[in-house]
Amino acid sequence: MLEGKVAIVTGAGRGLGRAHALALAGAGASIVVNDLGGDTDGAGRDEGPAQEVTGEITAAGGTALADNTDGSNWSDA
């Protein structure tokens, strides 16, 4: 249903964002897995969560790219 489409999913390293990224990938979309990987209080950064979800999607035959930029920052966006 989403073949040829690209979805950018913010907060895709964990929780609902992860679930949405996996569902969209399962429907055929290529996914940009955007997640800063910070702590629950918003501090810090960790590339791991986005990389893990990207790995899950590609292992299932999908296409994904991990992105650790801050979409609220104009230059990152």
Side-chain angles (χ1 to χ4, degrees), residues 2-3 6 20 23 28 33 35-38 40 45 48-49 51-52 59-60 71:
L2 296 177
E3 294 292 328
V6 176
H20 290 149
V33 180
D35 197 287
L36 296 177
T40 55
R45 285 192 176 201
Q51 291 290 346
E52 288 175 23

Side-chain angles (χ1 to χ4, degrees), residues 21-69:
L22 294 173
L24 289 164
S30 296
I31 308 297
V32 176
V33 180
N34 173 262
D35 197 287
L36 296 177
D39 297 329
T40 55
D41 66 359
R45 285 192 176 201
D46 179 7
E47 295 179 5
Q51 291 290 346
E52 288 175 23
V53 175
T54 298
E56 288 181 62
I57 292 169
T58 57
T63 303
L65 168 74
D67 174 57
N68 301 105
T69 60

